[in-house]
Amino acid sequence: MQLTHEENQFERKTFPITLVCDHIYFQQNIGSLFRISEAFGVENIIFFGKDIPLTPRKINKTSRSTHLHVPHVLIENYTELQTYLTENSFEIIALEITSNSKPLKEVVIPENKKIALLIGSEINGISDELLTISNQIVHINMFGKNSSMNVVQAASIALYELTSL
């Protein structure tokens, strides 16, 4: 028999992970990122970019109210984001396929470091300026002809791996 939200036996837990969303604008993706972040115990979400639509009805619908429970901030300025990540000693991990990315399974998290997981926009991926400040760039091995996947699905796989370490 399927269990309800109240009946499940999962331990509530928060991980020292901040999800950094680089110019993600599609409302359904934003809502789904809240939902998956709540499911994986993400500490908070940073939405980076201008005019990010954080209040429309489509976000509320796909988030299933998790947007009310996951702390989040909007940062419009690159320098402010860079300063926040470096001053708070994050291990910055970019999820992107690049010439020097390594498989997600090979990620190494330094002891007692908070993680900033960078995910990129639906159109352009992670900006070069954010890739430059990343400590590690990782990709998800794929076996079809396509070289990308939806940002929410990719974030889900990465969060599963990072919370399983």
Side-chain angles (χ1 to χ4, degrees):
M1 177 187 305
Q2 185 181 30
L3 297 178
T4 66
H5 295 297
E6 293 76 31
E7 295 170 328
N8 79 55
Q9 303 298 311
F10 297 122
E11 174 189 355
R12 294 189 58 77
K13 188 173 182 179
T14 301
F15 291 87
I17 299 173
T18 294
L19 186 65
V20 180
C21 304
D22 182 9
H23 292 86
I24 293 177
Y25 292 102
F26 294 1
Q27 294 171 27
Q28 292 89 338
N29 285 341
I30 293 170
S32 294
L33 287 167
F34 274 113
R35 192 168 178 187
I36 202 67
S37 293
E38 195 277 336
F40 280 108
V42 168
E43 218 167 47
N44 68 56
I45 303 174
I46 296 173
F47 292 97
F48 172 58
K50 291 185 188 320
D51 303 318
I52 307 289
L54 291 179
T55 53
R57 194 169 147 233
K58 288 180 185 176
I59 291 173
N60 299 343
K61 188 174 184 179
T62 56
S63 80
R64 304 269 316 253
S65 298
T66 55
H67 65 288
L68 302 172
H69 306 290
V70 179
H72 58 280
V73 296
L74 175 63
I75 297 178
E76 294 183 1
N77 179 284
Y78 168 74
T79 304
E80 183 182 345
L81 176 62
Q82 179 186 23
T83 301
Y84 175 80
L85 294 174
T86 54
E87 284 183 358
N88 287 286
S89 302
F90 280 96
E91 179 70 9
I92 303 170
I93 302 171
L95 183 60
E96 186 69 82
I97 297 172
T98 68
S99 59
N100 64 335
S101 60
K102 63 184 178 183
L104 176 60
K105 291 220 177 258
E106 295 177 15
V107 71
V108 176
I109 308 300
E111 191 111 4
N112 299 319
K113 281 279 254 196
K114 297 180 287 188
I115 298 168
L117 177 62
L118 307 182
I119 58 175
S121 80
E122 298 92 347
I123 307 301
N124 299 314
I126 298 174
S127 65
D128 287 339
E129 60 189 358
L130 288 182
L131 287 174
T132 302
I133 65 167
S134 298
N135 303 107
Q136 300 180 62
I137 302 173
V138 298
H139 63 261
I140 298 167
N141 286 340
M142 295 185 290
F143 306 100
K145 289 184 178 181
N146 188 12
S147 66
S148 68
M149 61 178 65
N150 174 275
V151 67
V152 177
Q153 282 126 7
S156 300
I157 293 167
L159 288 171
Y160 177 81
E161 289 291 331
L162 293 173
T163 58
S164 299
L165 295 176

